[in-house]
Each structure stands twice: as C-alpha cells, then as structure tokens.
Amino acid sequence: MSVLVITEQRDGAFRKVSYEALSEGKRVADALGVSLTAVVLGDGVEGIAAEAGKYGAEKILVADAPELREYTVDACTNVLAAIIEKEGPAAIIMGASVQGKELAARLAARLNAGLAMDCIDLRVDGGDLIATRPIYGGKVLAEVALSGAPQIAAIRPNAMTVTETAAAGVIETADVAVGETRIRFIEKTVDTGKADLTEADVIVSGGRGMGGEDFSALEEMAGLLDGAVGASRSAVDEGWRPHADQVGQTGKVVSPSLYIACGISGAIQHLAGMSSSRVIVAVNKDADAPIFAKADYGVVGDLFELVPAITEEVRKIKG
Amino acid sequence: MDILVLLKQVPATESLITIADDGKRVNTDNAKWVINPYDEFAVEEALQIKKAHGGTVTVISVGNDKTVEALRTGLAMGADRAVLINDPATADCDGLGIARILAAAIRDMSCDVIIAGQRAVDDDNYLVGAAVAEFLNIPHISMVVKEEITDGTIRCHQSIDGGTSLLEAPLPVLFTTQRGLNEPRYASLPGIMKAKKKPIDTRTLADIGLDAGEIAPRARIIEMKLPPERTGGRIIEGDSAQAKAAALVRALREEAKVI
C-alpha cells in the first residue's frame, strides 16, 4: 500500500503546488503507515524527478514520453489510470491547479474514486481521508469523508505547508500507456513573468475605487512584493481587468499570506473569496466600507496617494 | 446539431449562508434560487451554437420540484427542451453520483455537444462535467473562453493558470465554461410566456435504468462550519499618506511579518 502523489510540472519545472502535494502526501502516508510514491509526467523530465525525493517520496515513477510534452487531460488520464491500477494506492494526492482539477475529476470518474476537491486540510480517520474544503465560494467549510479505494484529494494551492526531508527517492521508469486520445494540443500562451493568483503569496487587488483601467500603481506594488494583481467583480465587469484576475465567488478563491484590497468596498462574494488570506489590508477612502470590518489593517484615504506611498515604504525596506 | 446543457439550480451568490441544525447542510429556506452563473454561460453558448449551426438545445438537471423554475428560465432564454431527473434517492449524491445520473439520462439522447458550467457556485466541486464526459467516453475541454465548431471538430481557447491554451477535439464533445465566453441574455417576455407552455420531461432513476446502489456516495459531508469570523483589526492613523504608509509597512513587517 502507498500514497501516490501526482506532481505537476510545466516546461520542465515543478509547480509550487507539487511541493505542497508531496509534503501533504508524506504526512498522509505517515498517518496511514505506508510509503509515498510520486509520479512525474512529461517529456524529458528525468532531470527534475529526483527533486520529488526531497519532500518525502521514497519511490519516484517517471512517465516520460514525447506524447506528454504538452499536457492534455485524456493522455494524462490514460497514463495515470494504468499506473494507479498497477500501484494500487490507498490515497492519491494532487494539486488543485486548473489542470489538476480537471485531471482529478476525470480520474475519479475513471477509477470510481471518492474525490475531495480544493482541500485546505487533510486528516486520516480509520484509514480513510477526511478533507476540509471551502464551499459556497469560501462562505462555508465542509468536512468531507471519503470511502472506498482509491481516494483522491486535490489540494488548494498555497494551503498546505511545504516540508523538506533529508531523504532521497528511488527513481523508476513507468510504463507510458497513452492509449487512445482525442484532444489535440495546438498552442499555449503563458505569461511566465506573472505569478498566478492562486499561487501568489501576496495579492494586490483593485476594485471600483480604481476608477479606470490604469492599475499600474498596483502592478508596481505587486511587482515589488513578488505578488500578483487581482480585481473585484466590479473592476472586471467594467472591463478594466481580465476575467482571470477576478477574486471572489464567481472568480478565484485565494489564500495568500498578504491580501491588499485597494478601492474595494467588500461585497459578500469578494470577502468570501479572500477571507482565508493570512493578513488582509484594506485601503479605501470610505471609512464605512464593509471591508474594514474584515481587514487586519485598514488605511482610510485616497488610494492614489496611499498606494504609491506604501510602495515607496516597501522599496525602502527591500533596498 | 443536438446541444445539451447541464444545468444546476443554486442559491444566488449574494445569499447569506447559515448552517442547518444538523450541521451537515446549509439553510436554504430563504435563499433566492437561480441558475448557476457558469451554467448561464452554457445556455447562452448553446443558443449561439444553435443559431450558427441549427439544431436543438436541451437543458437537463438533477433536482427536485423547485428545480423546474431554473429549467423554465433556460427554456425562456430559448432552449427547446428540458429534462429533469427528480427522484428522492438523489438527495445524498456526491458529484460522481450526479454525473452518473446525467450520463445515464444522456446516453439515450442524440448529442453532438454538451456544455456545462466549470463548477457550481454552491459545492464548488469542479467535477460533474468532466465525469459525465468520462462516463459517456467522450473528450472534454474545461474552462473555455472561446470556441468554434467546423466540420465536426471543435477548437477551444481554454483558460489555464497564467494564460490560455488552444485545443481541438472531434465531436461529440463536452466543454465547460469560463467567464468571458459570452454575455448571457435575459429571458424575454415572449420567451417566458412560451416557456410556460413547454413540457418538462421528468424522469425517475428507474426511468433511466439506475438504482440507488449505483449512485452511493464515496464523498460524504460529515460536518459544515462557518470559517473563523474575521474581525476588523486596527485603522492605521497618520497625518499624511506618507505617515500612514510608513506605519502600515512597519506593522506588516514587525507585527504580521508578511513583508
């Protein structure tokens, strides 16, 4: 028996959520008293596979094939289902990135496996996984008990602690049964210079108070803090920011260490989507804005003066 | 072209959510019920595909007597047919169970394209669309912001972490929606009047050849709680923007230790 962690790499580098999934996988494996196996899929990924050992994987299965150069859900489902059938893991842990979510869903259906999506906490009870996951866009936390085997938990990026171990894993080559596939990858456009909202440790978000599409002051602050820029629904509806930047119940639910809300009054859907941030700062000229009731630090005033001033202060520290 | 839309009725996102006494459900007595916002994009896209290629649009849902309202809204927007699987045995289903039911109901229908919301904004499962596609053994493409169908092939722009990708698949296909795909229309008054007369094809599990054992949940909610209540912290005072900024950054660095 084992716990299997499905890692995610993009263009030859592990995504941060993979380290979180491996660390959480190790904790679950220890609780179940079984070993941890990692799977690395891609083309030419042998070089990065060993890194999975640093987070507790005793065995690292490398599924390496040209057909896996670009991720498609059907090829990866076929390859992983064959590996899982052979390995017979008790539990499968993976990251709930955009890609991870669709893969977890398709695998759950293929394997008839109980699935908990977007988990922020996992524990083991009598050999089964109990997952805590936000629902209703973060307004409610549900404890979900999985049953049967295997059980799949897809963990929310940024929610689990990364723990390095001194160990190293044994690397094995896995069979790559790509099988029949019908989805053809054509191309992708990824802005690698931008931290993704769901993975960012710092998010600077703008709302209606921004008054227009010039978010350069927020971009500058986020850049200095190695963070990402988000937006409220109002700002997206106005066409100031792309849909992908929206934080809230109909956008992304995020959990950064630091969330700075600029010119956002604090609609219930937005508050739910960012309330699991560790520290919330609100900058707003309306002292009665609901967001101040949820923020750890509130600054009342004109954001067009305050944001550059805050950026300047951060710059002094960062040198 | 036969187009199916998987539709779910959910409490509106502006609803205040409280937890029922048994701690396993939310109170929905006072909720305003709506079509899941991501499913509205699905209905709209279905209508646009029908306009471009001809055919029929069928909305399908697993639910109860109340769900009829959401299906009627779908019909009022312009869908041709509505199917409701209404059976008390579905009440405790997990996402996989719901997907099994939908797949069983769809199996006998002719369909070229199935459209689903990327997720329902109540249980946030991100599961049903992909699982229905798997059970029907057809490809699925998630989080679509733009699509185009030509000669039995669909080309989709898919929203991925940090960008977009372009994918192609043969029909029949299932895809799920992302904001930006379209602007859902409102139901027109004539549409609403017409929808009232359209029948809702209602079926039980037995009608679609399933028994309750086949949809036993593998994921069960055992407890719900509200997230820890955040209370307002402190308002940073200062004589000028510079003074407030300095005090804030000092607090973030020394107290909160996040910078």
Side-chain angles (χ1 to χ4, degrees), chain A:
Chain A
M1 277 305 235
S2 63
V3 169
L4 190 83
V5 168
I6 298 169
T7 62
E8 181 179 336
Q9 57 82 28
R10 186 188 272 175
D11 302 328
F14 281 122
R15 301 197 60 192
K16 187 172 135 202
V17 74
S18 296
Y19 305 129
E20 293 160 3
L22 286 162
S23 304
E24 192 64 19
K26 178 66 180 152
R27 287 187 279 272
V28 170
D30 288 348
L32 289 168
V34 298
S35 66
L36 179 67
T37 300
V39 186
V40 183
L41 298 105
D43 180 26
V45 289
E46 303 95 334
I48 60 167
E51 209 186 337
K54 282 201 293 197
Y55 302 90
E58 285 128 286
K59 183 164 80 171
I60 302 154
L61 294 167
V62 182
D64 201 287
E67 298 98 315
L68 301 178
R69 167 160 287 274
E70 291 295 347
Y71 159 87
T72 59
V73 67
D74 50 3
C76 286
T77 303
N78 292 348
V79 171
L80 286 164
I83 289 173
I84 290 161
E85 199 165 324
K86 194 170 158 200
E87 294 290 315
I92 297 163
I93 317 279
M94 55 202 295
S97 59
V98 170
Q99 170 180 319
K101 282 188 181 112
E102 68 166 12
L103 191 54
R106 192 105 197 183
L107 272 175
R110 173 97 35 114
L111 306 165
N112 190 25
L115 167 65
M117 193 72 91
D118 236 1
C119 309
I120 55 170
D121 184 61
L122 283 178
R123 60 190 173 89
V124 171
D125 181 30
D128 289 322
L129 288 178
I130 311 268
T132 303
R133 52 183 306 267
I135 54 175
Y136 289 88
K139 291 176 192 164
V140 176
L141 297 177
E143 269 211 335
V144 178
L146 300 180
S147 57
Q151 300 174 0
I152 306 178
I155 61 163
R156 169 174 297 185
N158 252 356
M160 310 283 192
T161 315
V162 174
T163 315
E164 285 198 43
T165 66
V170 178
I171 296 179
E172 291 181 21
T173 304
D175 289 336
V176 183
V178 174
E180 186 201 4
T181 58
R182 281 166 288 187
I183 293 173
R184 195 169 72 86
F185 170 87
I186 300 167
E187 62 183 17
K188 69 178 182 220
T189 325
V190 178
D191 186 347
T192 44
K194 248 173 61 173
D196 191 74
L197 268 189
T198 52
E199 289 188 351
D201 208 38
V202 175
I203 295 176
V204 185
S205 272
R208 188 177 295 284
M210 295 300 294
E213 59 190 25
D214 182 3
F215 271 49
S216 56
L218 305 195
E219 298 273 6
E220 193 180 355
M221 188 194 287
L224 205 55
L225 293 163
D226 296 326
V229 173
S232 73
R233 178 169 181 169
S234 309
V236 171
D237 285 349
E238 292 288 347
W240 301 338
R241 299 299 285 181
H243 295 107
D245 289 359
Q246 189 183 320
V247 171
Q249 196 174 355
T250 52
K252 289 176 173 159
V253 180
V254 295
S255 318
S257 298
L258 175 60
Y259 189 89
I260 304 177
C262 306
I264 293 175
S265 60
I268 181 171
Q269 299 92 325
H270 189 85
L271 296 176
M274 49 68 115
S275 67
S276 58
S277 311
R278 199 151 68 78
V279 175
I280 296 172
V281 174
V283 178
N284 200 305
K285 64 176 187 239
D286 173 9
D288 297 326
I291 194 145
F292 285 120
K294 302 286 175 192
D296 300 285
Y297 300 101
V299 192
V300 181
D302 181 351
L303 71 90
F304 297 102
E305 286 178 17
L306 283 164
V307 170
I310 295 166
T311 304
E312 202 43 49
E313 291 298 324
V314 173
R315 202 185 306 277
K316 283 181 196 168
I317 293 174
K318 299 262 177 186

Side-chain angles (χ1 to χ4, degrees), chain A residues 15 102 106 110 136-137 139 141 143 145 184 187 189 237 246 275 277 293-298 300, chain B residues 13 38 119 122 124 134 138 142 161 164 166 168 179 220 222-223 225 229-230 232-233 236 244 255:
Chain A
R15 301 197 60 192
E102 68 166 12
R106 192 105 197 183
R110 173 97 35 114
Y136 289 88
K139 291 176 192 164
L141 297 177
E143 269 211 335
R184 195 169 72 86
E187 62 183 17
T189 325
D237 285 349
Q246 189 183 320
S275 67
S277 311
K294 302 286 175 192
D296 300 285
Y297 300 101
V300 181
Chain B
T13 56
Y38 290 106
R119 70 180 192 265
D122 55 357
D124 288 328
E134 175 65 29
I138 60 172
S142 53
D161 288 327
T164 52
L166 181 60
E168 206 173 61
R179 286 195 71 184
R220 278 178 310 108
I222 50 174
E223 193 191 356
K225 46 185 190 260
E229 184 65 36
R230 289 192 90 107
I236 304 279
K244 288 177 184 174
E255 287 172 23

